[in-house]
Amino acid sequence: YTNISKDIEKHRNIGHQLTVSPKYQINEKSYVDIQYNYGFGNNNALASTDGMYRNLLGGLQEKIDKQGTQDSENPTHQVAARYYTEWKNGSTFVTNVSYANLKTESMQYINEQINADRQVTQVESDTKSRVYTADMDYTTVLWKKLLFNVGGEYSYIKNQSETVYDVDDKYSGLTAIKDHVGVLYSSIRYVKKKSYASLGFRGEYNRRKDDYNLQNDYHKLQFIPILMAGYKLTKKTDVRLTYAFFNSYPNISQMNPAKVYINRFLYSEGNPYLKESKMHGLILDVKLPANISVKAQYRYLKDDIYQVVTTDEETPEVSKMSYINILSLIHISEPTRLRRIS
């Protein structure tokens, strides 16, 4: 099959942002600061398609005339507060709390004529995300140059979306996913003249509840080591080896199952079954004079998130852009990579 089309798109984007960040200094070693951020965006798009869809023999299968409009708004509210204090012995304590309310409302209207048949489609999408976080961190001197660090974090993430399709019959798709993430960590750091090292652990508990798909529910507990060692060859030359582990969670747009048609034969759609991706890394970092750094790293990624194009299950001639988890991926960077530190 051959798809020949002429596409014209016009976009108009308007955005506003307001940030307020007052700070109160309690004393020389303690303070409280608060930050509030409000953002608003309005996006309008107008698209038209004039095309033909032919088979391999050149016979005309479909003549397409499509007009589409899309209007979306995304107001956001984010507020965070922090308390920091330091004692005479060098111990420090800091705690943060934050809240984010993200919302996207979208209306897509498609007027499409294929040969003699005309179809009008209206897609209305409403997506909401609320994120609550809190954390505490305490560091103290145990003995001479031996530092002890302990802390914890908690996050509650609630994602909701509703998509209403009005074609011949009106139907809707719903998602409601709640994620709880709890973290405890502790480490000991030793510093002696030219050498330093850090050893500890991080425990993380994840729990997901999907109101509309019980197969997507899960909970798990995992422990990750914290390892780092370094040595200062000179005042300006430093060698450091670090083991790192990171979790990366899919954002709400990657999980939103709403269909957004780009043209008659291509649409994009989120995947509500995405898992968080994990990265284990071993990083060798060498800092040299003249603010130059040489870095080499080995990374093992599990369930990494990628965007792919597949064939629609019901209509094979239509392609779908969505997101999937790659089971595992190994990445080794070039050890000769140089970068200048600003």
Side-chain angles (χ1 to χ4, degrees), residues 16-19 36-42 73-79 99-105 127-129 252:
H16 307 281
Q17 185 166 325
L18 172 67
T19 301
Y36 170 75
N37 180 271
Y38 169 75
F40 178 82
N42 179 267
E73 294 183 350
N74 56 326
T76 63
H77 299 270
Q78 300 179 68
V79 61
Y99 167 74
N101 187 333
L102 315 174
K103 185 177 181 180
T104 300
E105 295 179 338
T127 304
K128 299 177 182 177
S129 180
I252 191 168

Side-chain angles (χ1 to χ4, degrees), residues 12-159:
R12 182 174 66 91
N13 303 317
I14 299 176
H16 307 281
Q17 185 166 325
L18 172 67
T19 301
V20 180
S21 54
K23 180 178 180 180
Y24 175 68
Q25 193 75 37
I26 301 173
N27 52 51
E28 293 183 357
K29 301 290 186 178
S30 304
Y31 66 85
V32 175
D33 60 0
I34 299 174
Q35 184 177 85
Y36 170 75
N37 180 271
Y38 169 75
F40 178 82
N42 179 267
N43 305 307
N44 301 100
L46 175 64
S48 63
T49 300
D50 182 12
M52 294 178 294
Y53 186 59
R54 295 179 180 272
N55 60 22
L56 293 177
L57 299 178
L60 181 62
Q61 299 294 310
E62 293 179 342
K63 187 177 186 307
I64 305 165
D65 181 16
K66 172 185 170 183
Q67 304 290 328
T69 61
Q70 185 174 7
D71 185 31
S72 64
E73 294 183 350
N74 56 326
T76 63
H77 299 270
Q78 300 179 68
V79 61
R82 174 174 55 183
Y83 170 73
Y84 174 88
T85 188
E86 181 179 343
W87 289 279
K88 293 181 179 180
N89 62 355
S91 300
T92 61
F93 173 79
V94 59
T95 181
N96 299 273
V97 293
S98 65
Y99 167 74
N101 187 333
L102 315 174
K103 185 177 181 180
T104 300
E105 295 179 338
S106 175
M107 176 71 75
Q108 187 178 22
Y109 179 82
I110 304 171
N111 187 350
E112 187 173 40
Q113 181 170 339
I114 303 175
N115 297 335
D117 299 326
R118 179 171 294 276
Q119 178 176 284
V120 177
T121 305
Q122 182 173 293
V123 182
E124 183 177 357
S125 177
D126 186 7
T127 304
K128 299 177 182 177
S129 180
R130 293 179 175 85
V131 182
Y132 306 81
T133 63
D135 65 72
M136 292 185 294
D137 183 272
Y138 175 73
T139 301
T140 188
V141 180
L142 288 181
W143 177 72
K144 293 184 178 180
K145 296 185 178 181
L146 193 65
L147 303 178
F148 174 71
N149 174 247
V150 64
E153 306 169 12
Y154 173 74
S155 300
Y156 172 60
I157 306 166
K158 184 178 182 181
N159 292 319

Side-chain angles (χ1 to χ4, degrees), residues 100-221:
N101 187 333
L102 315 174
K103 185 177 181 180
T104 300
E105 295 179 338
S106 175
M107 176 71 75
Q108 187 178 22
Y109 179 82
I110 304 171
N111 187 350
E112 187 173 40
Q113 181 170 339
I114 303 175
N115 297 335
D117 299 326
R118 179 171 294 276
Q119 178 176 284
V120 177
T121 305
Q122 182 173 293
V123 182
E124 183 177 357
S125 177
D126 186 7
T127 304
K128 299 177 182 177
S129 180
R130 293 179 175 85
V131 182
Y132 306 81
T133 63
D135 65 72
M136 292 185 294
D137 183 272
Y138 175 73
T139 301
T140 188
V141 180
L142 288 181
W143 177 72
K144 293 184 178 180
K145 296 185 178 181
L146 193 65
L147 303 178
F148 174 71
N149 174 247
V150 64
E153 306 169 12
Y154 173 74
S155 300
Y156 172 60
I157 306 166
K158 184 178 182 181
N159 292 319
Q160 292 177 296
S161 69
E162 179 180 8
T163 305
V164 180
Y165 303 90
D166 191 353
V167 191
D168 298 324
D169 297 319
K170 183 178 290 188
Y171 65 98
S172 62
L174 299 171
T175 62
I177 300 174
K178 305 179 185 70
D179 286 300
H180 299 264
V181 182
V183 175
L184 289 175
Y185 59 88
S186 179
S187 65
I188 294 177
R189 180 180 173 91
Y190 176 73
V191 181
K192 182 181 179 181
K193 293 183 178 180
K194 295 185 177 182
S195 61
Y196 55 93
S198 181
L199 174 66
F201 78 95
R202 175 186 173 97
E204 185 169 313
Y205 175 75
N206 296 268
R207 180 175 179 267
R208 169 170 291 183
K209 179 71 171 62
D210 192 328
D211 292 345
Y212 296 100
N213 181 20
L214 298 179
Q215 294 181 350
N216 202 24
D217 292 356
Y218 70 88
H219 65 92
K220 59 184 176 182
L221 176 66

Side-chain angles (χ1 to χ4, degrees), residues 168-300:
D168 298 324
D169 297 319
K170 183 178 290 188
Y171 65 98
S172 62
L174 299 171
T175 62
I177 300 174
K178 305 179 185 70
D179 286 300
H180 299 264
V181 182
V183 175
L184 289 175
Y185 59 88
S186 179
S187 65
I188 294 177
R189 180 180 173 91
Y190 176 73
V191 181
K192 182 181 179 181
K193 293 183 178 180
K194 295 185 177 182
S195 61
Y196 55 93
S198 181
L199 174 66
F201 78 95
R202 175 186 173 97
E204 185 169 313
Y205 175 75
N206 296 268
R207 180 175 179 267
R208 169 170 291 183
K209 179 71 171 62
D210 192 328
D211 292 345
Y212 296 100
N213 181 20
L214 298 179
Q215 294 181 350
N216 202 24
D217 292 356
Y218 70 88
H219 65 92
K220 59 184 176 182
L221 176 66
Q222 58 185 353
F223 292 93
I224 305 109
I226 300 173
L227 303 171
M228 187 270 291
Y231 184 79
K232 290 183 177 294
L233 299 174
T234 66
K235 291 183 178 180
K236 296 183 178 182
T237 305
D238 187 19
V239 179
R240 182 170 59 187
L241 182 65
T242 305
Y243 166 79
F245 174 85
F246 297 102
N247 270 350
S248 178
Y249 296 90
N251 59 48
I252 191 168
S253 63
Q254 293 173 330
M255 300 181 67
N256 187 1
K259 293 182 179 180
V260 178
Y261 280 89
I262 300 169
N263 56 52
R264 169 69 175 80
F265 301 101
L266 179 64
Y267 69 90
S268 64
E269 180 183 47
N271 181 2
Y273 307 109
L274 286 175
K275 302 176 183 178
E276 79 273 17
S277 59
K278 309 176 188 65
M279 190 277 288
H280 297 267
L282 193 61
I283 305 168
L284 177 64
D285 194 0
V286 181
K287 294 181 180 179
L288 302 172
N291 290 329
I292 295 177
S293 175
V294 181
K295 179 177 289 189
Q297 59 181 328
Y298 166 88
R299 292 187 297 165
Y300 172 77

